[in-house]
Every structure is written in structure tokens, then in C-alpha cells.
Amino acid sequence: MKISVALCTYNGEKYIQKQLDSILHQNKFSVDEIVICDDCSNDTTVEIIKEYIKYHPETIKLFDNETNQGSTKNFEKAIAICQGDYIFLSDQDDIWNENKIVETLKIFNENPKCEGVFTNASLINEDDKIITPLTLWDSIFFLENELQKPIDLFDIITKNGNIATGATLCIKNEVKEFIFPFSDEVLHDEWIAILLAIKKTLYYSTQNLLYYRIHGNQQVGVKSDAKLKKIKHKKRILLGLDEPKKYKDYLILSKKKWLKFNELEKLSNTLTDKYGIQNMKKDCYEEYLQLQKKIKIKFPVKYQLTKWIDTFLGKRKIKNL
């Protein structure tokens, strides 16, 4: 068994050493290769990596992009280069728990159909200090402990947004053909999560297996406590944990059903129907119609006004199946 790490860097001089150290010093398992694709850094990131290569020449492989690719295409390149049976995705600024590899592989071993695993994480600041009792999952509203099991991860992603943060994700090498090329419309981790969730081969570990760093230079981070409190009610309604009461609550649900249908429509154009996408589209369409009927009965005036506005603006059209 060979273990690869796909690590993408861009101006990461401040944290890259700690991340590399945490990857290189794992319990029970040694990483066979760390594929680093640098996206035209203009600080000392590349020089730092080259120093590490002197001590780990067989393990660390550096690839310099000629032009800036952006995170999604850079990760596509790094993953494509990786040769390991298991490919761990890694950001440049986090710190891995020393048991990250062993605990992640345990999920694969316990679930023969598993092709991808994501995990929870602790949140740290620029000084490596845990900054809140909340976890990464709390901050993105993957309320795993409250959701009915088994969890339909694709349904949760379409309702809630991505829950499989790339820094926590590990995939089997064999899925590369299925996930490539990455979509230009979504980030790489969400694209991988959507496709594996459709196949029902995406699993997770509830453990905090890395320290996810919150700092000002992140491309994608987590929301502030104030922002989290503001959207908590909305998220709980979308996840089915709270009952909708106001018209605004029902409108949120209706918009998400529409977005889910359109996501399935896009996927149906690129994937074969062996994954049941057509049936999922039909179910989503029926759920959308039933929800519209319910809104029309409970809020007739507001319903008609919203329908008129949507028609006038050409929004939220669903063609008949």
C-alpha cells in the first residue's frame, strides 16, 4: 500500500514548515510521496520546500507551475501526479493530527465500498492555538450528531453546501478517472464530494484529525461567530432539524429544492444513469411541486407575488419532466 499527499502551495512561507513536519511525522504510517504543486509563489515558499527535499529527496516532489492555475486546477494537477493507492489532499497552512492517516485508513478498511473519506477538524489561529470549542463541522453546519442515520450526504450537500472540506479529504487512486476533469463552476473539494456522494462511496470520520487554520490570507475560510448565529436558523430548517414557520422559511426551502434539481440536471448530462440520477430528479421535482402547493395554501398572497416576480425576472424555472 502506497500513500500519497497532494499539497498545493501559493505564498505559504509562514506555515508550510509546520504542515510538512506534521505530514512527515505520522504514527504507524509513513507517507510515500508528497506531491507539491506551487502556483507561482513570490515569497520563499519554494526555497523552504527545496530545503526539505534535501532531507527527503525520495518523498517530496516539487512541481512549479509556469502560470497561476488557481486552487482547483492546481489540485487537479497534483492529484493526477500522485501514484499512491490513497491520496490525501492537503492545504499549506494546516497541521495534521499525528493519527490522521491511521484513523482515515481505518474508515476505508471498515467500509469496503468507500472511495473517499473526510473528517472533522479543530480550529486554530495563526499561533497554533485552538480558538473556539466549535469544530470545523460546526462552522459549516454539518450537524452530524443531530442528523438521521444513515445520512444521505448528497442531499446534505445540496441543502447545506459542501461538507467535505478538501483539507480533510482522502480519496482512492482509482476514482481519479471518475472525478476528472474538475468542474470550472465549483471548487475541487465540493466537486469530488458531490460525485462520490452520488455513488454513495463517500464516508467520514467524526474525529478532529487536523488543525484547520483560520487567518486573514485564506482563500476559503469559516464564518465568524456572529455570522454563524445569524444563519443557524436557516441551516437548521434546510437540514430538516427545525420546522419552517414563516413564509421566509418556506421560501428558503423552495429555492434549495430548485437548486438541487438544477444540480441533478447538470450531473445527468455528464454521468450515466447507473447512479439513479433520473429517479433523483423526479423525486426532487415532486418534492418541489408539493412544497409549492403547501406554500400556496399557507401564504396565497405572498406566493402569487413571488411567482409573478420570478416569472417577470425569468428566475427559478423548472421544465416539466
Side-chain angles (χ1 to χ4, degrees):
M1 178 179 65
K2 186 175 180 180
I3 297 170
S4 296
V5 177
L7 199 168
C8 290
T9 58
Y10 176 71
N11 289 349
E13 62 181 5
K14 189 172 181 180
Y15 304 113
I16 187 62
Q17 291 175 276
K18 292 179 179 179
Q19 178 65 305
L20 285 173
D21 287 340
S22 71
I23 294 171
L24 290 166
H25 297 93
Q26 287 286 297
N27 284 340
K28 295 187 179 181
F29 290 95
S30 296
V31 172
D32 295 283
E33 64 172 2
I34 303 174
V35 173
I36 303 176
C37 289
D38 185 79
D39 210 18
C40 302
S41 293
N42 52 33
D43 63 0
T44 62
T45 299
V46 171
E47 286 72 19
I48 293 170
I49 294 168
K50 287 180 178 179
E51 281 298 310
Y52 271 77
I53 291 175
K54 291 180 181 179
Y55 298 97
H56 305 277
E58 301 299 321
T59 303
I60 301 176
K61 305 170 184 177
L62 175 63
F63 298 86
D64 293 320
N65 294 339
E66 293 183 1
T67 59
N68 187 276
Q69 300 295 305
S71 63
T72 295
K73 285 301 179 183
N74 203 24
F75 266 107
E76 183 174 2
K77 175 182 176 180
I79 294 169
I81 295 170
C82 288
Q83 299 297 309
D85 302 296
Y86 296 92
I87 303 171
F88 286 79
L89 278 59
S90 174
D91 289 348
Q92 64 185 3
D93 48 7
D94 303 321
I95 298 176
W96 284 16
N97 180 293
E98 60 187 7
N99 292 314
K100 176 174 169 60
I101 292 179
V102 65
E103 294 297 335
T104 300
L105 294 183
K106 187 182 296 184
I107 302 297
F108 281 104
N109 293 333
E110 292 173 350
N111 302 279
K113 294 182 179 180
C114 178
E115 293 182 317
V117 173
F118 66 98
T119 79
N120 205 348
S122 301
L123 303 178
I124 59 173
N125 62 15
E126 297 182 1
D127 300 317
D128 306 340
K129 304 296 183 182
I130 293 178
I131 57 178
T132 172
L134 297 178
T135 67
L136 177 62
W137 284 1
D138 293 325
S139 71
I140 58 176
F141 287 95
F142 180 43
L143 307 179
E144 189 274 341
N145 60 326
E146 296 187 59
L147 296 171
Q148 185 176 350
K149 310 300 188 297
I151 298 174
D152 183 341
L153 294 176
F154 177 77
D155 185 56
I156 297 300
I157 292 170
T158 56
K159 288 176 178 177
N160 183 65
N162 188 33
I163 55 176
T165 304
T168 75
L169 189 61
C170 176
I171 58 174
K172 285 186 174 179
N173 189 293
E174 63 200 44
V175 307
K176 288 199 286 189
E177 291 185 10
F178 181 71
I179 62 176
F180 287 162
F182 285 170
S183 170
D184 293 327
E185 299 180 8
V186 296
L187 291 175
H188 63 282
D189 50 3
E190 183 173 0
W191 178 249
I192 295 171
I194 287 172
L195 294 183
L196 295 188
I198 280 281
K199 294 178 70 179
K200 299 188 183 303
T201 60
L202 181 65
Y203 288 72
Y204 61 84
S205 169
T206 59
Q207 296 186 68
N208 296 350
L209 294 183
L210 66 88
Y211 299 93
Y212 187 84
R213 194 181 301 278
I214 307 300
H215 59 89
N217 294 325
Q218 282 174 302
Q219 180 184 15
V220 178
V222 298
K223 298 175 178 64
S224 66
D225 288 345
K227 183 69 173 179
L228 291 175
K229 290 178 181 178
K230 186 176 181 179
I231 64 175
K232 182 176 182 179
H233 176 62
K234 171 185 173 181
K235 289 291 189 178
R236 291 187 64 84
I237 288 173
L238 290 174
L239 293 170
L241 299 174
D242 288 344
E243 289 294 323
K245 296 179 180 179
K246 299 178 181 180
Y247 176 71
K248 186 177 181 180
D249 298 339
Y250 282 95
L251 193 61
I252 289 170
L253 285 172
S254 179
K255 289 179 179 179
K256 276 296 181 179
K257 286 293 181 186
W258 178 83
L259 289 170
K260 180 176 180 178
F261 181 87
N262 279 271
E263 187 69 48
L264 289 165
E265 182 78 8
K266 293 176 185 176
L267 290 171
S268 68
N269 294 328
T270 58
L271 301 178
T272 65
D273 198 43
K274 65 183 288 188
Y275 304 112
I277 295 176
Q278 294 301 326
N279 285 335
M280 293 171 70
K281 276 176 58 181
K282 291 178 182 178
D283 290 344
C284 185
Y285 180 71
E286 289 300 321
E287 290 170 2
Y288 177 80
L289 292 181
Q290 290 300 317
L291 185 58
Q292 288 291 299
K293 289 179 181 179
K294 193 170 185 178
I295 296 172
K296 185 176 182 180
I297 293 171
K298 291 180 71 69
F299 309 96
V301 176
K302 291 182 178 180
Y303 170 84
Q304 291 297 340
L305 179 60
T306 300
K307 290 292 287 185
W308 182 85
I309 293 173
D310 284 351
T311 301
F312 180 75
L313 297 176
K315 290 184 175 181
R316 284 178 282 281
K317 293 180 179 179
I318 291 185
K319 62 183 180 181
N320 294 328
L321 294 177

